[in-house]
Amino acid sequence: MDLPNNTPDLHQFDHIVFFTGAGLSAESGIPTYRGKGGIWETYRYEEHACQRAFDKDPEKVWDFHEIRREFISHCIPSEGHKVIAEIEKVKPLTTVITQNIDGLHQRAGSNRVVELHGSLWRIRCDKEGIVYESHKIPLTNRRCSCGAYLRPDIVWFEDPLKEEEIFKAIDAINQSDLFISVGTSAVVFPAAQLPLYAIQKNVPTIEINIEKTLMTSMYQYQIQGTASEVLRKLW
Ligand code: APR
């Protein structure tokens, strides 16, 4: 796989924003959400990943998330995650805005990570308004000491994004000199608004994906290939 001739040299940019999706973690062995073999093909989100499902059957929703926590705990960051972390070492303003909830960017060594959709590794009690990190598998207790069910600190379908994370993402794009989407179908809003925002701000944009997406033609540069291979060639 060769990079297109006009591809920008990443070394010339100081504040790169990476906007990442499930395609990046696919290379760590984690299934994507859509397409063949996608998570939502096996697990209907209406029963496993929304507040309505949780209110109806919290044990079923927790079982699904425990399977994901267990599976992902055995996965390791891909070459693509590592390249992004390496870039931050040389260009410390590099920021990752991720839709992924697997924590693999942090495990690869990235420090500036905005988790738009939350994290599988944080748990919260909505009754007490507390959030904490937990890597215990399975959880010792699915209920808080106050008696309410704990829930994953994840933005499920129909949940709003956390305002603080949106502000961090917008701030990073405002300061960026290059925006690179990696492995996202960009069909889930409001997250998919972010590449459009970068385009509107005249930030140069690159899309890396194994196939065309609904937004491909809007990016200034499009690179078709796997995240790890393309990122390694770019850096
Ligand atoms: N390299 C690059 N791109 C890849 C690779 C790869 N190795 N493998 C798959 N892709 C691309 C697919 O072509 C697809 O465009 O990754 C994208 C994955 O799309 P989705 O499964 O829709 O994942 P994502 O865009 O991250 O989903 C967004 O949807 O369900 C919600 O909250 C969930 O955060 C998730 C959001």
Side-chain angles (χ1 to χ4, degrees):
M1 178 262 147
D2 290 322
L3 295 176
N5 281 340
N6 62 352
T7 308
D9 174 5
L10 298 202
H11 296 85
Q12 293 181 347
F13 298 88
D14 289 317
H15 193 151
I16 304 176
V17 165
F18 287 96
F19 176 61
T20 64
L24 177 62
S25 293
E27 296 180 0
S28 294
I30 302 171
T32 57
Y33 292 100
R34 295 171 185 80
K36 203 167 170 289
I39 291 171
W40 304 140
E41 209 178 63
T42 315
Y43 297 95
R44 289 183 68 237
Y45 87 80
E46 294 91 338
E47 290 170 36
H48 299 94
C50 65
Q51 186 66 45
R52 282 181 295 134
F54 189 71
D55 292 341
K56 194 169 148 209
D57 192 346
E59 291 292 332
K60 182 173 175 178
V61 172
W62 258 121
D63 288 345
F64 165 65
H65 287 84
E66 287 281 24
I67 291 169
R68 298 212 66 203
R69 281 162 64 94
E70 162 72 18
F71 184 85
I72 291 169
S73 71
H74 299 291
C75 296
I76 55 169
S78 68
E79 188 67 7
H81 292 103
K82 289 182 199 158
V83 172
I84 293 172
E86 275 172 37
I87 295 174
E88 189 192 318
K89 288 214 167 61
V90 182
K91 310 272 188 183
L93 296 177
T94 302
T95 307
V96 176
I97 303 172
T98 190
Q99 298 164 87
N100 299 339
I101 54 174
D102 51 38
L104 288 178
H105 279 296
Q106 292 90 334
R107 279 173 58 197
S110 288
N111 295 301
R112 291 162 61 95
V113 183
V114 180
E115 292 179 311
L116 273 188
H117 291 166
S119 171
L120 262 177
W121 308 110
R122 282 193 310 271
I123 311 294
R124 72 174 197 244
C125 171
D126 278 343
K127 194 168 168 204
E128 298 207 317
I130 47 170
V131 181
Y132 60 93
E133 210 171 300
S134 160
H135 291 261
K136 185 107 179 46
I137 303 166
L139 284 184
T140 321
N141 201 334
R142 291 177 174 183
R143 283 183 187 270
C144 178
S145 52
C146 74
Y149 264 104
L150 296 162
R151 63 158 273 181
D153 189 31
I154 289 174
V155 177
W156 283 327
F157 284 88
E158 300 157 17
D159 285 349
L161 294 188
K162 286 189 185 172
E163 239 178 50
E164 200 190 324
E165 301 309 298
I166 304 176
F167 287 140
K168 279 196 242 167
I170 288 178
D171 191 46
I173 296 172
N174 283 341
Q175 294 177 46
S176 67
D177 50 11
L178 183 65
F179 181 98
I180 308 181
S181 276
V182 187
T184 176
S185 58
V187 293
V188 173
F189 284 80
Q193 203 81 43
L194 294 175
L196 298 173
Y197 181 68
I199 292 165
Q200 189 197 326
K201 294 294 268 183
N202 287 324
V203 178
T205 51
I206 302 179
E207 183 189 57
I208 302 171
N209 202 302
I210 50 169
E211 58 188 27
K212 282 198 163 67
T213 67
L214 289 176
M215 273 196 204
T216 297
S217 62
M218 306 188 74
Y219 286 83
Q220 202 167 342
Y221 306 95
Q222 303 104 14
I223 309 178
Q224 207 162 337
T226 62
S228 294
E229 191 185 3
V230 174
L231 284 165
R232 185 44 81 199
K233 285 214 163 123
L234 280 172
W235 185 244

